[in-house]
Amino acid sequence: MLTRYLFLLLCLLMPILAQAAGARVLILADATAVTRQLQYIVDAELRRGSLQQSPVSPLSPASLVAQVMLMESDPSAQAGGETLPAADVLLAVGPVALRQALAQPSIRRIVAVLVTRDTLELSLAQKPLRAGREVHAIVLDQPLTRYLDLIHLALPKAKNIGLMSGGDDKQAAQYRSLEKQAEERGMKLTTLRLVDDTSAGLISRLDELLEQSDVLLALPDTRIHNRANVQPLLLTTYRAGVPVVAYSEAYGRAGALLALYSTPEQLAQQASEVLLQLLQSRNPLPHSVQMPKYFSVYVNGAVARSLGLSISSGIILRERLR
């Protein structure tokens, strides 16, 4: 996914950089050997004459092509021991890249993508923003109310929503807020906290929750939703006749009825818009955190038919949500 994301992002960046002549953009990514795979697009742009190539090896780990530099993040360099090239804006793709970028005092503007809000907050707690530095993040977390709106649109008869919680205090506060948002939409959100981490403990708690639920909402929580638990959870909900609304396309394909997520193309589009805004602005901009603006909805038709449900297509649901 990461290489695909960078590939798409560079395509979007080319016209932007043409408008910002002289701007230096460093793309620092959590990946291996990304330069070789990205070089194809750069070379194609060079052949069309939109950029001028600098005399460096195309496979150099710090390839410099006009205003774009591509580097692979180095987990061992997060303490700031390695100095990154000067840049007007640094695009940090992934959590390791973000931590490395924050360790560089010379980098004034950072755009962070492919990180969760929790990862962003932890990184900023370890490296607080100093005066004159800007961090603009596009987090992976979808707005929680977007899930409620999706359920309301796709399953208008579902009034009781079940949610399993892994149980930290911050998450509990978010879910209490979500309960109020559900009430405003004429729905009831019931949250049960997982006590026993074993598979048997999860299923026992899940059975209790499903008795009170018309639909199960699966939000990102590695204590609940991980490789060991996904299949038992989906099998249990299927037997109970309770559909699942999940947070990733993979979860949808595995057996959830609906999935709400952002594709690499959509995240790349939003990142390019933020970069354009920064490159066009000479004045400092306040620190900002954006949730995904563009998103997709996946509908598992086979699960819908098995549960006797008539669901609109993912494209229709997405457009109605927008």
Side-chain angles (χ1 to χ4, degrees), residues 5 10 54 56 75 78 148 155 204 220 230 257 276:
Y5 175 86
L10 196 55
S54 64
V56 296
Q78 292 175 31
L148 296 180
L155 301 165
S204 175
V230 167
L257 174 66
L276 177 58

Side-chain angles (χ1 to χ4, degrees), residues 10-29:
L10 196 55
C11 287
L12 291 167
L13 278 178
M14 290 306 174
I16 290 174
L17 293 172
Q19 299 177 46
R24 296 161 299 174
V25 176
L26 172 61
I27 302 177
L28 187 67

